[in-house]
Amino acid sequence: MIKVYSTMTRQKEELKVTNNKIKLFVCGPTVYDYSHIGHARTYISFDVIVRYLKHEGYSVFYLQNITDIDDKIIKRAKENNEDPLELSHRFEKEYLKDMETLNVSNVNFYARATEHMNEIINQIQDLIDKGYAYDTETGVYFDVSKFEDFGKLSNRNLDDLQNTRIQIDSTKKDPKDFALWKKQDEQPYWESPWGNGRPGWHIEDTAITEAYFGPQYDIHGGGLDLIFPHHDAEIAQMEASSGKEPLVEYWMHTGFLNVSGEKMSKSLGNFITIKELLEIVTPEVYRFFVLSTHYRSPIDFSEDTLKQAENSLKRIQNTGKIIIDKLTEDNLPEGNVLDEDLELFKEEFFNAMNNDFNTPIALSNLFDFTHKINKAISSNEVSRNTLNNIVETFKDIESILGFDIIVEDDMVSDVSGDLLNIITEIREDLRSKKDWDLADKIRDELANLDITLEDK
């Protein structure tokens, strides 16, 4: 049984869907610049969630929108003296390249806003017809006073809307009403029953999800910063239009990503794009870094935390290489050493994933198990059959986490073989000279790498 924390109810709930089929929508990027490491944190997290759901037998349709027309896009295009749609589609390609590099591979369809204008216009017209929206000389606006439950996801009231990105417009009935359609005659614009213009911030998501999923679906995901007002607005739009609630059964949100304890922003000089990140670490290291923190928790990016993730991943992959090296040897022992440990590890790993996709606990269990493996292999106690079963299990887990544990080439530094033999010989020389302190220090440092030396 998988339990999911729902932002709406503020508690973990059993995942219940019809016929094991899941419709999942996650808010995609506004493509006016290179994607940053905060985007990567959210999309890696949901990639692993989808991987695990598929592993457990669910059929998942994962939909993501691409906001390819927006105020930010138009502003940046003017600064660059570039066509807005050419700019957005250029950065969309860069975003997709970044996702491919990070092994974010489970999105079934990316839906551009500009390719769903008919659906957007139809939904706006429906809201007007039902009395939830009105037309002015500047645009079409959602009348928040008509939707009594506005703010039910965030537990905030309408007065808070005054502090959001909603702009003051004297043509609106209330300053808190938000735009569904912005009228303008400057390119790019689209024709509509209310005049030329383009969609507001919120309407594209519900128009797109209704087109592919209908008025109700299973899971909606995104960053914590989108809950208010964006996701509250989505709920209001779709439930007002369809007359059905809830819009979705489970709301899932990733926590904030900070850089060295501060919010990431260009003004602070700590804004890091995915491309800049990948100049200093591998994609697998960043995936490991992200998964070392629960998806709902805040995560702090720094050189130290990134280096810690890199070292931790190397330790796990070193164990994988030691296993492969051991399997090349002849005359491995018989017996069932580690068999019970393997079964316990699998139980604990999957229990953690079933508990709201708790990857840090799952990785902690993986660390504990690799320590036992290294100790047993060092003592030459593990049978070939057990090692093969461990490899099979690790391969299975790789498909969930999206990074390699079993590495069979020179991608990982080799702490076995000649190097380990040299270290062992040096330590024996120290012991023969009765330099116990330095010999013990070498033994303890190797133990920190999960390499156990047995004194003769």
Side-chain angles (χ1 to χ4, degrees):
M1 177 181 69
I2 296 177
K3 287 189 175 182
V4 175
Y5 182 90
S6 176
T7 309
M8 181 68 78
T9 63
R10 304 305 199 266
Q11 64 183 10
K12 293 177 186 176
E13 302 177 2
E14 181 182 351
L15 180 63
K16 295 180 180 179
V17 295
T18 303
N19 297 325
N20 272 14
K21 294 182 178 180
I22 294 176
K23 298 173 183 177
L24 165 69
F25 174 75
V26 175
C27 292
T30 300
V31 282
Y32 69 101
D33 203 344
Y34 292 108
S35 298
H36 56 69
I37 58 175
H39 293 133
R41 190 270 167 100
T42 291
Y43 300 132
I44 288 172
S45 296
F46 279 102
D47 182 69
V48 172
I49 288 169
V50 173
R51 286 169 179 266
Y52 187 69
L53 291 171
K54 289 180 177 180
H55 181 276
E56 294 303 290
Y58 292 92
S59 174
V60 183
F61 189 95
Y62 180 2
L63 175 67
Q64 197 176 111
N65 70 307
I66 298 288
T67 302
D68 59 341
I69 190 64
D70 179 83
D71 290 341
K72 293 178 180 178
I73 293 171
I74 293 173
K75 181 176 182 292
R76 181 62 56 82
K78 287 181 178 178
E79 293 171 352
N80 292 357
N81 194 26
E82 186 176 1
D83 178 79
L85 293 180
E86 289 181 0
L87 179 139
S88 63
H89 294 165
R90 175 166 62 85
F91 280 116
E92 175 189 338
K93 290 179 181 178
E94 295 296 335
Y95 166 71
L96 296 177
K97 287 180 186 176
D98 289 340
M99 292 301 102
E100 182 179 6
T101 303
L102 291 169
N103 201 19
V104 174
S105 58
N106 284 279
V107 179
N108 294 96
F109 187 68
Y110 293 96
R112 288 177 175 172
T114 57
E115 295 177 355
H116 294 81
M117 283 298 170
N118 288 337
E119 291 86 352
I120 290 170
I121 290 170
N122 289 340
Q123 191 170 100
I124 294 172
Q125 186 63 58
D126 191 45
L127 288 168
I128 293 174
D129 294 342
K130 292 180 178 178
Y132 287 98
Y134 58 91
D135 181 12
T136 78
E137 62 188 68
T138 60
V140 179
Y141 297 92
F142 188 92
D143 189 342
V144 295
S145 68
K146 298 291 181 66
F147 192 79
E148 294 181 359
D149 289 336
F150 192 92
K152 62 183 176 180
L153 179 63
S154 62
N155 287 330
R156 296 169 74 172
N157 58 49
L158 287 177
D159 292 336
D160 290 331
L161 272 173
Q162 294 176 343
N163 297 319
T164 71
R165 62 187 282 179
I166 293 177
Q167 297 179 348
I168 301 299
D169 184 339
S170 61
T171 70
K172 296 193 292 186
K173 292 181 179 179
D174 189 303
K176 296 186 266 312
D177 296 344
F178 57 85
L180 301 173
W181 189 258
K182 298 181 178 182
K183 294 183 181 180
Q184 68 173 41
D185 290 319
E186 183 181 359
Q187 290 285 1
Y189 65 76
W190 287 260
E191 295 179 357
S192 81
W194 325 285
N196 297 334
R198 57 182 178 77
W201 182 29
H202 315 296
I203 192 67
E204 70 176 87
D205 287 15
T206 48
I208 286 171
T209 55
E210 184 181 28
Y212 294 93
F213 293 159
Q216 295 175 295
Y217 55 101
D218 303 299
I219 302 175
H220 189 315
L224 199 63
D225 57 315
L226 296 179
I227 294 177
F228 186 88
H230 186 49
H231 291 163
D232 277 324
E234 284 188 56
I235 292 170
Q237 289 168 170
M238 196 65 253
E239 293 184 3
S241 174
S242 69
K244 298 178 180 181
E245 61 175 302
L247 166 60
V248 295
E249 289 292 334
Y250 308 95
W251 287 90
M252 300 177 67
H253 292 93
T254 54
F256 293 113
L257 181 143
N258 296 317
V259 178
S260 298
E262 293 185 302
K263 181 179 179 181
M264 184 173 64
S265 70
K266 291 185 177 179
S267 62
L268 292 175
N270 63 0
F271 186 87
I272 304 169
T273 67
I274 296 172
K275 295 189 184 304
E276 291 169 337
L277 167 79
L278 296 177
E279 291 177 359
I280 57 175
V281 296
T282 66
E284 287 193 332
V285 167
Y286 192 68
R287 280 188 77 98
F288 188 91
F289 167 78
V290 167
L291 300 180
S292 297
T293 300
H294 191 272
Y295 77 88
R296 286 191 286 113
S297 299
I299 188 170
D300 191 50
F301 179 96
S302 68
E303 288 186 16
D304 289 342
T305 55
L306 203 60
K307 187 63 177 177
Q308 182 179 352
E310 184 176 27
N311 290 338
S312 297
L313 178 59
K314 282 182 179 179
R315 287 174 61 188
I316 290 174
Q317 292 179 329
N318 281 332
T319 298
K321 192 170 190 309
I322 288 169
I323 292 171
I324 297 301
D325 288 345
K326 193 67 177 177
L327 282 169
T328 64
E329 297 180 8
D330 297 326
N331 303 318
L332 293 181
E334 300 295 331
N336 57 3
V337 172
L338 286 184
D339 284 0
E340 290 185 7
D341 293 304
L342 174 59
E343 293 306 312
L344 178 61
F345 161 67
K346 289 193 288 187
E347 179 182 353
E348 290 177 339
F349 180 92
F350 288 104
N351 283 345
M353 294 300 294
N354 286 335
N355 185 16
D356 194 31
F357 314 101
N358 199 323
T359 53
I361 297 298
L363 289 176
S364 176
N365 292 325
L366 177 58
F367 269 120
D368 291 344
F369 185 48
T370 57
H371 180 76
K372 294 175 182 177
I373 293 171
N374 291 333
K375 185 176 181 180
I377 288 179
S378 178
S379 303
N380 196 33
E381 297 176 329
V382 193
S383 71
R384 186 176 304 279
N385 183 64
T386 299
L387 288 174
N388 283 326
N389 289 339
I390 292 172
V391 170
E392 183 179 352
T393 299
F394 282 178
K395 288 290 187 182
D396 189 38
I397 290 172
E398 287 177 353
S399 70
I400 297 169
L401 301 178
F403 59 76
D404 290 333
I405 299 172
I406 302 297
V407 181
E408 301 183 41
D409 55 27
D410 294 332
M411 289 171 58
V412 185
S413 59
D414 186 1
V415 297
S416 60
D418 293 340
L419 179 58
L420 188 55
N421 288 335
I422 293 170
I423 294 172
T424 304
E425 290 175 4
I426 291 172
R427 184 171 179 272
E428 287 303 317
D429 287 342
L430 291 170
R431 293 180 74 237
S432 66
K433 296 174 182 178
K434 298 186 179 181
D435 191 345
W436 309 115
D437 290 342
L438 187 52
D440 289 347
K441 183 178 180 181
I442 292 174
R443 181 197 60 203
D444 294 342
E445 289 297 328
L446 290 173
N448 288 334
L449 295 174
D450 287 342
I451 300 171
T452 303
L453 292 183
E454 298 292 336
D455 292 331
K456 298 177 181 178

